[in-house]
Amino acid sequence: MAELTRIIEESVPGKQITMAHIIASPNPIIYKKLGLDPKVDYEKAAIGILTLTPYETSIIAADIALKRAAIEIGFIDRFSGTLIITGRISDVTVAFEAFINYAKREMGFNVCKITKA
Protein backbone atom coordinates (compact mmCIF):
# COMPACT_ATOMS: atom_id res chain seq x y z
CA MET A 1 0.00 0.00 0.00
CA ALA A 2 1.32 3.45 -0.95
CA GLU A 3 1.95 5.93 1.82
CA LEU A 4 -0.22 9.08 1.61
CA THR A 5 1.28 12.51 1.99
CA ARG A 6 -0.75 15.06 3.87
CA ILE A 7 -0.38 18.68 2.79
CA ILE A 8 -1.72 21.56 4.88
CA GLU A 9 -2.03 24.99 3.31
CA GLU A 10 -2.55 28.20 5.22
CA SER A 11 -3.31 31.69 4.12
CA VAL A 12 -1.38 34.27 6.11
CA PRO A 13 -2.56 37.71 5.15
CA GLY A 14 0.03 40.43 5.04
CA LYS A 15 -0.43 44.10 5.71
CA GLN A 16 -1.76 45.27 2.39
CA ILE A 17 -4.42 47.15 0.52
CA THR A 18 -5.37 44.81 -2.29
CA MET A 19 -7.94 46.98 -4.08
CA ALA A 20 -9.00 50.62 -4.01
CA HIS A 21 -11.47 51.23 -6.81
CA ILE A 22 -13.81 54.16 -7.42
CA ILE A 23 -16.91 53.84 -9.58
CA ALA A 24 -17.64 57.35 -10.81
CA SER A 25 -21.26 58.21 -11.66
CA PRO A 26 -22.49 54.65 -11.11
CA ASN A 27 -25.71 53.40 -12.61
CA PRO A 28 -28.48 53.68 -9.98
CA ILE A 29 -29.05 49.92 -10.17
CA ILE A 30 -25.65 49.36 -8.55
CA TYR A 31 -26.76 51.37 -5.51
CA LYS A 32 -29.98 49.38 -5.35
CA LYS A 33 -28.25 45.97 -5.64
CA LEU A 34 -25.73 46.88 -2.94
CA GLY A 35 -28.47 48.16 -0.62
CA LEU A 36 -27.03 51.69 -0.65
CA ASP A 37 -28.98 54.93 -0.32
CA PRO A 38 -30.69 55.56 -3.68
CA LYS A 39 -31.43 59.23 -2.82
CA VAL A 40 -28.20 60.62 -4.23
CA ASP A 41 -27.18 62.93 -7.05
CA TYR A 42 -25.91 60.28 -9.46
CA GLU A 43 -24.15 62.81 -11.69
CA LYS A 44 -21.68 63.71 -8.93
CA ALA A 45 -21.77 60.49 -6.96
CA ALA A 46 -19.24 57.72 -6.57
CA ILE A 47 -18.90 54.36 -4.89
CA GLY A 48 -15.52 53.46 -3.44
CA ILE A 49 -14.55 49.85 -2.82
CA LEU A 50 -11.55 49.03 -0.63
CA THR A 51 -10.24 45.60 0.37
CA LEU A 52 -7.40 45.07 2.77
CA THR A 53 -5.67 42.75 5.21
CA PRO A 54 -5.61 42.31 8.11
CA TYR A 55 -9.37 42.46 7.80
CA GLU A 56 -9.94 44.48 10.97
CA THR A 57 -8.07 47.36 9.36
CA SER A 58 -11.31 48.17 7.53
CA ILE A 59 -12.44 49.81 10.79
CA ILE A 60 -9.43 52.14 10.78
CA ALA A 61 -9.96 52.88 7.09
CA ALA A 62 -13.59 53.85 7.76
CA ASP A 63 -12.59 56.13 10.64
CA ILE A 64 -9.93 57.95 8.62
CA ALA A 65 -12.21 58.24 5.58
CA LEU A 66 -15.02 59.79 7.66
CA LYS A 67 -12.62 62.27 9.29
CA ARG A 68 -11.05 63.39 6.01
CA ALA A 69 -13.98 63.72 3.61
CA ALA A 70 -17.74 64.13 3.41
CA ILE A 71 -18.48 60.47 2.68
CA GLU A 72 -20.97 57.91 3.91
CA ILE A 73 -20.18 54.36 4.95
CA GLY A 74 -22.14 52.02 2.72
CA PHE A 75 -20.73 48.77 4.09
CA ILE A 76 -17.93 47.68 6.38
CA ASP A 77 -16.92 44.12 7.15
CA ARG A 78 -14.17 43.41 9.65
CA PHE A 79 -14.30 39.72 8.73
CA SER A 80 -13.52 40.13 5.01
CA GLY A 81 -11.62 43.43 5.03
CA THR A 82 -14.13 45.18 2.81
CA LEU A 83 -15.12 48.83 3.01
CA ILE A 84 -17.61 50.49 0.66
CA ILE A 85 -18.05 54.25 0.84
CA THR A 86 -20.21 56.67 -1.10
CA GLY A 87 -20.11 60.39 -1.76
CA ARG A 88 -19.02 62.89 -4.35
CA ILE A 89 -16.24 61.67 -6.60
CA SER A 90 -13.77 64.17 -5.12
CA ASP A 91 -14.63 63.20 -1.53
CA VAL A 92 -14.34 59.47 -2.17
CA THR A 93 -10.95 60.09 -3.82
CA VAL A 94 -9.73 62.24 -0.91
CA ALA A 95 -10.90 59.62 1.60
CA PHE A 96 -9.06 56.81 -0.19
CA GLU A 97 -5.90 58.88 -0.66
CA ALA A 98 -5.88 59.79 3.04
CA PHE A 99 -6.16 56.19 4.20
CA ILE A 100 -3.74 54.77 1.64
CA ASN A 101 -1.11 57.36 2.59
CA TYR A 102 -1.66 56.68 6.30
CA ALA A 103 -1.51 52.91 5.85
CA LYS A 104 1.73 53.12 3.89
CA ARG A 105 3.46 55.75 6.03
CA GLU A 106 2.29 54.87 9.56
CA MET A 107 1.38 51.18 9.36
CA GLY A 108 3.96 49.89 6.87
CA PHE A 109 1.37 48.52 4.45
CA ASN A 110 1.96 47.49 0.87
CA VAL A 111 -0.55 49.54 -1.07
CA CYS A 112 -2.10 49.51 -4.50
CA LYS A 113 -2.95 52.47 -6.65
CA ILE A 114 -6.46 53.88 -6.77
CA THR A 115 -8.28 52.85 -9.94
CA LYS A 116 -11.37 54.56 -11.39
CA ALA A 117 -14.04 53.64 -13.85
Side-chain angles (χ1 to χ4, degrees):
M1 187 188 305
E3 190 173 319
L4 297 175
T5 303
R6 182 175 179 189
I7 298 173
I8 299 172
E9 292 185 35
E10 277 185 45
S11 174
V12 180
K15 296 188 321 182
Q16 61 187 348
I17 299 172
T18 54
M19 180 177 59
H21 185 75
I22 298 172
I23 302 171
S25 301
N27 187 299
I29 194 68
I30 295 174
Y31 279 86
K32 195 178 264 187
K33 294 294 183 178
L34 289 173
L36 301 173
D37 184 3
K39 298 175 187 171
V40 297
D41 177 1
Y42 294 109
E43 293 300 313
K44 297 178 182 174
I47 298 172
I49 306 154
L50 185 73
T51 57
L52 42 105
T53 58
Y55 305 136
E56 300 84 359
T57 313
S58 60
I59 302 164
I60 299 167
D63 179 59
I64 291 172
L66 284 167
K67 289 177 178 173
R68 295 294 179 97
I71 56 96
E72 297 288 329
I73 301 296
F75 177 76
I76 182 171
D77 187 351
R78 69 180 193 267
F79 301 109
S80 70
T82 302
L83 173 65
I84 297 176
I85 63 174
T86 60
R88 291 179 174 265
I89 296 166
S90 59
D91 287 322
V92 171
T93 302
V94 165
F96 274 6
E97 288 172 348
F99 177 68
I100 288 170
N101 289 334
Y102 179 84
K104 183 176 182 179
R105 184 182 69 248
E106 300 297 326
M107 300 174 79
F109 271 48
N110 290 320
V111 300
C112 65
K113 70 176 191 167
I114 297 172
T115 55
K116 292 183 184 180

